[in-house]
Amino acid sequence: MQEALCYERVDDDAVRCHLCRHLCRIAAGKRGICGVRENRDGTLVTLVYGKVVAESIDPVEKKPLFHFQPGSSTYSIATAGCNFRCRHCQNYTISQVPPGTTQIPGVLRTPEEVVSSAIASGCRSISYTYTEPTIFFEFALDTARLARKAGLANVFVTNGYITPDALDLIAPVLDAANIDLKGFSDSFYREIAGAGLDGVLDTIRDYCRRGIWVELTTLLITGLNDSDEELEGLTRFIADELGVDVPWHISRFFPTYLMTDRPPTPVATLHRAAEIGKKAGLRYIYQGNAVETGREDTVCPGCKTPLVCRTGFRVTGVRITADVCPACSMVIAGRWARYPSLPGS
Ligand code: SF4
């Protein structure tokens, strides 16, 4: 157990947590919405420091990141807890910590152990993922700083609700993030995730402003977030405010957890969304959870040369080793040049 960062004492031994945009006011003896930050007599503590509940070696494409160290492995860790309540969470067994939970699950690890394991397994990066990395911020920050010194990159896979102050602390050692943009209506966000759309949009802007490499993911759910109007708004936001080079991953929903009343998303919906994204000007649109030839490949927007070919999360060929297309010299946004030993290159 460790004292938390990013909080202030308010009144009557209560504290206000400034780690995520919920800004929980937490009375003495209580926990915040995430269930893993507790007020002990006016001191906010994190209950998950070093308590690793999931640890695995993944292709970086699984995060998904398609323009960042393609073909490399990333050492993925999580602790229990999340600040969202997504009804369709795929990792609900570890993300949801019910109120009153006394035994937070996990195996104790130090930041040094995580970094050593990542290096020993040949990974190029550490990903803070599966649950929400913001809620295990202190452990992620200590690990990320060590990882950076050891030459590893750091990746957040996040719901995009961190405060600007907390992001300022970790941004100097954070290389990339895949951020969920779950939909484009506030009512959808509030009903499905228990959070607000504006906070997510502001957070995405914050990541981009700080120069962190960002890719976005939208899980399309029939009848909830897949209307033409909503997708037009969402893709215009990306194109107009973030830039047409931000990769957009559109992913197929399958029934799970508390959302078993919706059918799997038809593949045709993904195709329709991709067309809307193209009309908005987005250059890199990728399909997820539905393998179809060509729909996961990175293609030069200028001359249409395939630059990275993929099947599912597997990279089958790479023709790009610098930040330009080898055929026409068009600049291809991403973090390619630092990682030259790629399959097929
Ligand atoms: S990190 Fe947890 S305690 Fe802090 S504001 Fe977010 S939900 Fe509340």
Side-chain angles (χ1 to χ4, degrees), residues 17 19-20 22-24 26 32-34 37 83:
C17 178
L19 185 50
C20 90
H22 285 309
L23 299 176
C24 296
I26 309 171
I33 289 172
C34 56
R37 295 169 82 75
N83 52 350

Side-chain angles (χ1 to χ4, degrees), residues 5-6 19 37 46 48-49 132-142 156 162 165-170:
L5 297 170
C6 304
L19 185 50
R37 295 169 82 75
T46 166
V48 290
Y49 189 96
E132 172 51 44
T134 304
I135 62 87
F136 60 95
F137 183 77
E138 291 81 4
F139 184 59
L141 181 62
D142 286 350
F156 263 26
I162 196 170
D165 287 350
L167 188 57
D168 279 340
L169 283 177
I170 200 160

Side-chain angles (χ1 to χ4, degrees), residues 265-287:
T265 306
V267 173
T269 301
L270 305 183
H271 296 175
R272 176 170 57 81
E275 286 308 311
I276 291 171
K278 277 185 209 162
K279 271 190 202 142
L282 299 186
R283 288 174 164 166
Y284 308 107
I285 300 171
Y286 301 107
Q287 186 165 296

Side-chain angles (χ1 to χ4, degrees), residues 30-262:
K30 302 292 184 190
R31 297 178 187 174
I33 289 172
C34 56
V36 293
R37 295 169 82 75
E38 186 171 296
N39 179 349
R40 299 244 168 124
D41 300 322
T43 299
L44 187 65
V45 298
T46 166
L47 305 177
V48 290
Y49 189 96
K51 275 202 146 184
V52 174
V53 75
E55 196 168 9
S56 182
I57 298 165
D58 292 326
V60 77
E61 285 74 19
K62 195 176 176 182
K63 299 302 106 190
L65 286 176
F66 278 16
H67 289 224
F68 186 82
Q69 304 184 350
S72 68
S73 296
T74 185
Y75 201 82
S76 302
I77 59 166
T79 72
C82 186
N83 52 350
F84 277 21
R85 293 283 171 272
C86 299
R87 296 173 52 74
H88 53 299
C89 180
Q90 293 175 338
N91 293 325
Y92 66 93
T93 55
I94 55 174
S95 71
Q96 302 303 306
V97 176
T101 300
T102 50
Q103 287 289 325
I104 306 281
V107 175
L108 280 178
R109 292 261 186 274
T110 64
E112 289 81 2
E113 286 171 340
V114 172
V115 171
S116 297
S117 298
I119 292 169
S121 54
C123 291
R124 301 277 184 89
S125 60
I126 296 177
S127 288
Y128 309 84
T129 178
Y130 303 137
T131 59
E132 172 51 44
T134 304
I135 62 87
F136 60 95
F137 183 77
E138 291 81 4
F139 184 59
L141 181 62
D142 286 350
T143 306
R145 285 174 172 163
L146 273 184
R148 170 59 68 87
K149 278 189 193 149
L152 297 172
N154 292 297
V155 170
F156 263 26
V157 181
T158 176
N159 55 31
Y161 222 54
I162 196 170
T163 61
D165 287 350
L167 188 57
D168 279 340
L169 283 177
I170 200 160
V173 290
L174 192 56
D175 297 276
N178 185 293
I179 308 176
D180 265 356
L181 181 50
K182 296 175 188 291
F184 209 65
S185 84
D186 191 61
S187 58
F188 172 79
Y189 255 97
R190 298 221 173 259
E191 189 176 323
I192 296 296
L197 171 65
D198 285 347
V200 174
L201 300 183
D202 283 343
T203 305
I204 292 171
R205 294 181 185 106
D206 287 343
Y207 271 84
C208 291
R209 268 190 220 115
R210 284 160 178 77
I212 298 163
W213 177 253
V214 167
E215 303 191 19
L216 301 174
T217 296
T218 304
L219 183 77
L220 294 177
I221 308 171
T222 302
L224 293 183
N225 64 355
D226 67 337
S227 71
D228 284 0
E229 186 187 25
E230 187 162 343
L231 293 172
E232 282 161 10
L234 188 154
T235 53
R236 271 200 310 271
F237 163 74
I238 302 174
D240 296 349
E241 293 209 34
L242 311 177
V244 294
D245 284 331
V246 171
W248 184 42
H249 300 261
I250 40 180
S251 198
R252 192 180 184 208
F253 163 83
F254 289 95
T256 186
Y257 188 34
L258 300 175
M259 199 182 286
T260 52
D261 57 336
R262 298 274 160 180

